[in-house]
Amino acid sequence: MGFFSEVKTMVKENIRDYGMYIALLVIILTFSIMTDGLFMSSRNISNLLDSTGYIAVLAVGMTLVIVIRHIDLSVGFVAGFLGAIAAILLTQVGVPVYFTIPIILILGILIGLLNGFLVAKIGIPAFVATLAGWLFFRGALLQVTEKTGTIIIKDENFNAIGNGFIPSLVQINGLHLLSLILGALFIVFYIYSEVSTRRNNIKYNFDVVSKGIFTLKLVLVSALIAYVTWILAGYNGFSWTVVIILLVTVIYYFLTTKTVIGRHIYAVGSNPEAAHLSGINVKRITYFVFGSMGMLAALSGILFTSRLQSATTTAGTLFELDAVAAAYVGGVSSAGGVGKVTGAIIGAVVMASLSSGMNLLGVGISYQYMIRGGVLAGAVIFDVMTRKARA
């Protein structure tokens, strides 16, 4: 098979994996041309990534929840409520930021485990159980902010999480050196993980693409990472939000692709009954996934609250729908068992890029919602069509 024929076949057979990247490329090129390059400016890309951080981490957790055939509608107001609790601990109780963050993350895990208990142990459908959580934490958020309304946070260390940038070791021709180093390390990690996966596939006689195609993929993705790193290094470098997104991506990528519990998550999503019969503790996996979702909701609340430098009565509104949209655009299947952490991040960036580009073009908010709705519908239709084609 020739090189171009293999590329065509690979894209066709893996269109679910590559479709989101193609969509992102089209969006970037379109808005770059229509805004005369303003869309890809260092400042805009930095703001775009910072503004999508709290949705990106939610999308990662939501992807795993959907993979095991459930949904979590409570995450938006869980994030808003825990963000308000963080603000209260910092401003009214006087708890230091290095204690506040672990406390909030632990609370998030406990809330997630409670949802897991209702779903796995009691047997309540996830939609109903988490809808109850949506209502409860909406009320809890209003309760804790009832007296003060917006809670202003003046802790510089906490606010830096959503607005600050990593320190620069030195500037080289106006470029942020530490960001360049982190970008290079991320490229090394990506290449190492891909090469390791390929070797394992060959070891167990799984099908792999040719060396030429594999090398081309490594070069293109590495070039994309390097380009984004270069753009950000030309502004203020990597923000702490971007660093957190990268850490979440690396941790959950390793968890889902290199560990036993990751394989069990996808096994449960593909066929819960078969997974149970093969000895997998389905209830334990459900607890783990919902606990993980709760922790990421808490992290989302921290990112959003620190970015606003305040807790508000409306924090968390529609976060869950944005996370679901990012997960589906990122390639998760509504039938369960299919979905990648990296896809969730790309899905969040796609949705944020649409909003950013349309804002730069002055598109009205009503049209923005309709266009984003169309993109989500298209992603789900794409999922259904690809599943039918493989059936």
Side-chain angles (χ1 to χ4, degrees):
M1 182 182 293
F3 179 81
F4 292 105
S5 298
E6 186 179 1
V7 170
K8 183 178 179 181
T9 302
M10 184 183 68
V11 171
K12 183 178 180 180
E13 293 180 352
N14 299 276
I15 188 64
R16 179 191 292 277
D17 294 332
Y18 298 126
M20 70 193 85
Y21 294 99
I22 296 172
L24 181 59
L25 179 61
V26 170
I27 289 170
I28 290 173
L29 292 176
T30 301
F31 284 131
S32 294
I33 294 172
M34 296 181 72
T35 62
D36 295 324
L38 182 61
F39 179 80
M40 286 301 292
S41 65
S42 298
R43 181 185 295 272
N44 188 61
I45 293 300
S46 180
N47 289 335
L48 187 154
L49 293 176
D50 287 349
S51 64
T52 196
Y54 63 94
I55 295 299
V57 296
L58 275 183
V60 169
M62 190 65 73
T63 293
L64 297 187
V65 172
I66 296 174
V67 162
I68 64 168
R69 304 187 181 190
H70 291 301
I71 195 72
D72 192 340
L73 299 178
S74 68
V75 295
F77 286 123
V78 168
F81 170 71
L82 292 179
I85 296 298
I88 291 171
L89 291 176
L90 290 167
T91 61
Q92 299 177 20
V93 184
V95 179
V97 65
Y98 48 82
F99 284 137
T100 297
I101 292 175
I103 289 172
I104 296 302
L105 294 178
I106 291 171
L107 287 175
I109 292 172
L110 293 175
I111 290 170
L113 290 175
L114 175 60
N115 283 333
F117 175 79
L118 295 175
V119 174
K121 187 70 175 179
I122 306 300
I124 301 174
F127 183 92
V128 178
T130 58
L131 178 59
W134 185 97
L135 293 168
F136 179 86
F137 288 106
R138 173 62 175 143
L141 172 61
L142 293 175
Q143 178 64 35
V144 298
T145 57
E146 184 178 32
K147 294 180 180 179
T148 57
T150 299
I151 304 173
I152 305 298
I153 302 173
K154 297 182 180 180
D155 189 300
E156 293 182 358
N157 292 324
F158 182 81
N159 291 338
I161 297 172
N163 299 281
F165 298 84
I166 63 175
S168 176
L169 300 177
V170 66
Q171 294 281 339
I172 300 179
N173 295 325
L175 297 175
H176 196 278
L177 178 60
L178 186 54
S179 296
L180 293 176
I181 293 173
L182 287 178
L185 289 176
F186 195 70
I187 291 174
V188 170
F189 168 79
Y190 166 73
I191 293 175
Y192 172 79
S193 63
E194 289 294 319
V195 171
S196 176
T197 300
R198 178 181 171 85
R199 285 177 177 171
N200 286 334
N201 287 340
I202 292 174
K203 179 180 178 180
Y204 294 106
N205 296 319
F206 293 150
D207 291 335
V208 295
V209 297
S210 67
K211 285 187 177 180
I213 296 296
F214 180 71
T215 303
L216 177 63
K217 176 186 175 182
L218 292 182
V219 169
L220 290 177
V221 175
S222 298
L224 176 62
I225 297 172
Y227 181 59
V228 173
T229 300
W230 179 74
I231 288 176
L232 295 178
Y235 182 50
N236 287 323
F238 283 10
S239 66
W240 287 112
T241 297
V242 170
V243 172
I244 290 171
I245 294 174
L246 291 177
L247 285 175
V248 169
T249 303
V250 170
I251 291 170
Y252 275 84
Y253 176 83
F254 178 83
L255 175 72
T256 55
T257 61
K258 306 296 182 181
T259 67
V260 173
I261 196 168
R263 291 192 289 272
H264 286 180
I265 288 171
Y266 286 97
V268 170
S270 297
N271 193 322
E273 292 78 14
H276 174 72
L277 292 174
S278 65
I280 295 174
N281 191 324
V282 177
K283 290 183 179 180
R284 184 178 300 171
I285 294 298
T286 305
Y287 277 120
F288 177 84
V289 170
F290 275 96
S292 168
M293 181 74 262
M295 183 190 70
L296 291 175
L299 179 59
S300 175
I302 290 170
L303 288 172
F304 184 75
T305 304
S306 64
R307 181 162 177 77
L308 290 186
Q309 301 182 33
S310 62
T312 67
T313 57
T314 58
T317 304
L318 298 181
F319 283 16
E320 67 282 348
L321 299 186
D322 286 336
V324 170
Y328 275 114
V329 171
V332 72
S333 174
S334 56
V338 176
K340 293 183 178 180
V341 169
T342 49
I345 300 295
I346 296 298
V349 172
V350 166
M351 299 303 283
S353 297
L354 282 172
S355 296
S356 176
M358 289 187 288
N359 284 332
L360 290 175
L361 294 173
V363 177
I365 190 67
S366 58
Y367 290 107
Q368 289 192 32
Y369 275 114
M370 287 188 282
I371 291 172
R372 290 169 65 191
V375 170
L376 175 58
V380 177
I381 292 171
F382 179 75
D383 167 48
V384 173
M385 297 300 291
T386 51
R387 279 193 287 115
K388 285 184 177 179
R390 292 180 180 182

